[in-house]
Amino acid sequence: MICIYILNFNLERRCLILSDPSIDPNILKEINDWLPESTKEKLFNPSAKIIGQGLAGIAYWAFQKPIKYGILKKKEFDDFMEKTVNKTSEIPKENQDISKMGIVLKSFDQATYQMNEPILRDMFSQLIANTVDSRKNEHITTLFPFILGNLSKKDGIFIKKMFSHKVNIIDLAFIKSKNTTYINPFSLWPDKTVALGEYPTMNVLESFGIGDLNLIGNTWAKTPDFRKELIQNLKNQEIYKNGVEEVKMSTNDPAGRFISIATGTFSLTPLGLMFIQSII
C-alpha cells in the first residue's frame, strides 16, 4: 500500500492510498516511479517531514490528469519537482510554515499549464518554496499563482530582465510624427541597451495590476538629463533609424520634418514588486 499525506485547506492530514477512489492507482504509481529517489528522500526527510509530505501529496493530486492524458513529460516533471524540493529542503526547520498550503495547492495546479517553459517552471518552484518559508511568505497571496499561470515565456524573460537590472522603472521612447504617436515603444534599459517588442508584455503586466504604463508624451528635450542621454543613444541605433524610415513612408514625410520622440515609462507597482520577489 502506498500512502502519501496531503494537507487540505483545514491543514488536516489526509492519506492518499492506492484504494482511494479519487486517485487513479495506475497514475499514482507512475508518479511515484517518476520521482527520483534523491527527490523522495528530501521530500520525506525528518527535518522537513510536514512540508515534504504536503508537497508530495499535492504533486500526486495536481499532476495525475496531465500525466494520464500525456500532457506532462517526465523530464519536465522531474526538473520541476527536483527544483522545488531542493529549494524547500533548504528552509530551516524553524522557518517552515504550512499556513499557506492552499496557495501551494493552487501553485501546483497552475504550474501544470506551464511545465513546457523552463523559465516559468523555475518561477513556480520558487513561488512554492517562498510560500512555505515564514521569512518570505507574508505578502504572498492566491493571486500570485494565477498571474504566473497566465504569463508567457516572453513575459517571464522580461520580468527576469527587470530583476537582473535591479530596477523597478524603465524609460520608453516612441516615434512621433505630426499628431500621431506610434505605439511600439523602444525600451531604454539603464545599461543603454535598446529593445523593441516588449510593449505587449508591459500591457499584460499592467492588466494584472503589477505594472504601470505612463505615456507622458514629452519630447526628449524636456526629459531629465539621464533620459536625454538614453534617447541620444537610441538615435544612434539601427533599430531606431529603421523605425524612422518606416514612419516617414507611412506619413508621406520623406524629409522627416515632423518626426520627434515622445517619452514614457513602465514601472512595477507595489504589488508587482512583491510578486517578483516571490517568484525569483
Side-chain angles (χ1 to χ4, degrees):
M1 180 178 72
I2 298 176
C3 184
I4 299 298
Y5 288 97
I6 180 171
L7 293 169
N8 64 19
F9 289 102
N10 296 320
L11 302 183
E12 297 168 341
R13 296 175 74 199
R14 178 187 176 207
C15 180
L16 302 179
I17 60 175
L18 287 176
S19 60
D20 190 326
S22 68
I23 298 292
D24 184 329
N26 295 318
I27 299 301
L28 183 62
K29 184 178 185 305
E30 187 171 352
I31 297 175
N32 187 65
D33 292 341
W34 270 16
L35 282 171
E37 287 303 318
S38 59
T39 302
K40 284 189 277 191
E41 286 174 10
K42 289 181 180 179
L43 275 172
F44 299 104
N45 187 298
S47 66
K49 188 174 181 181
I50 295 179
I51 287 179
Q53 292 178 351
L55 293 180
I58 291 173
Y60 279 63
W61 174 84
F63 293 125
Q64 58 171 321
K65 286 187 177 179
I67 289 175
K68 181 177 181 179
Y69 296 111
I71 299 171
L72 184 62
K73 297 177 181 177
K74 182 180 186 300
K75 182 179 179 181
E76 297 167 352
F77 175 80
D78 286 350
D79 177 69
F80 175 66
M81 287 304 296
E82 182 179 10
K83 287 178 178 177
T84 302
V85 171
N86 284 343
K87 289 170 182 175
T88 56
S89 65
E90 293 173 357
I91 303 172
K93 190 173 182 180
E94 63 271 18
N95 298 118
Q96 295 172 15
D97 182 5
I98 61 172
S99 66
K100 295 191 174 186
M101 290 301 278
I103 298 177
V104 172
L105 177 60
K106 188 166 185 178
S107 297
F108 270 96
D109 182 44
Q110 290 290 322
T112 61
Y113 305 103
Q114 301 285 21
M115 284 290 104
N116 62 323
E117 295 295 350
I119 189 171
L120 298 176
R121 277 205 309 269
D122 191 53
M123 288 178 172
F124 265 112
S125 68
Q126 190 62 60
L127 174 60
I128 291 167
N130 286 343
T131 302
V132 294
D133 188 335
S134 62
R135 300 165 299 179
K136 303 175 181 179
N137 67 2
E138 180 180 1
H139 301 294
I140 294 178
T141 75
T142 54
L143 183 61
F144 290 177
F146 172 76
I147 293 174
L148 189 53
N150 284 275
L151 297 184
S152 68
K153 176 183 176 180
K154 285 187 176 180
D155 301 333
I157 290 172
F158 179 81
I159 287 172
K160 287 200 77 170
K161 193 174 179 181
M162 287 202 77
F163 183 82
S164 65
H165 277 83
K166 299 180 180 179
V167 295
N168 59 11
I169 184 169
I170 58 173
D171 290 294
L172 307 176
F174 306 81
I175 297 175
K176 187 175 182 181
S177 179
K178 299 179 181 178
N179 295 321
T180 303
T181 300
Y182 293 85
I183 307 298
N184 189 15
F186 300 94
S187 304
L188 310 180
W189 292 90
D191 61 358
K192 296 187 179 179
T193 57
V194 176
L196 188 63
E198 295 177 333
Y199 188 67
T201 283
M202 297 175 195
N203 271 308
V204 168
L205 300 185
E206 185 176 49
S207 72
F208 286 118
I210 59 178
D212 181 41
L213 273 167
N214 183 13
L215 309 182
I216 300 171
N218 293 332
T219 58
W220 71 272
K222 297 178 182 177
T223 58
D225 289 342
F226 183 63
R227 193 182 299 166
K228 226 188 329 187
E229 187 179 334
L230 291 176
I231 294 177
Q232 190 58 50
N233 174 65
L234 168 67
K235 288 184 172 182
N236 297 325
Q237 304 290 323
E238 200 65 33
I239 193 173
Y240 170 77
K241 294 175 183 178
N242 292 338
V244 168
E245 291 304 315
E246 290 179 14
V247 173
K248 285 180 181 179
M249 291 176 60
S250 64
T251 58
N252 196 25
D253 179 22
R257 292 182 301 140
F258 300 102
I259 287 181
S260 61
I261 295 179
T263 60
T265 58
F266 173 79
S267 59
L268 294 171
T269 64
L271 179 66
L273 288 169
M274 290 187 288
F275 174 71
I276 287 183
Q277 289 168 359
S278 72
I279 64 173
I280 297 180

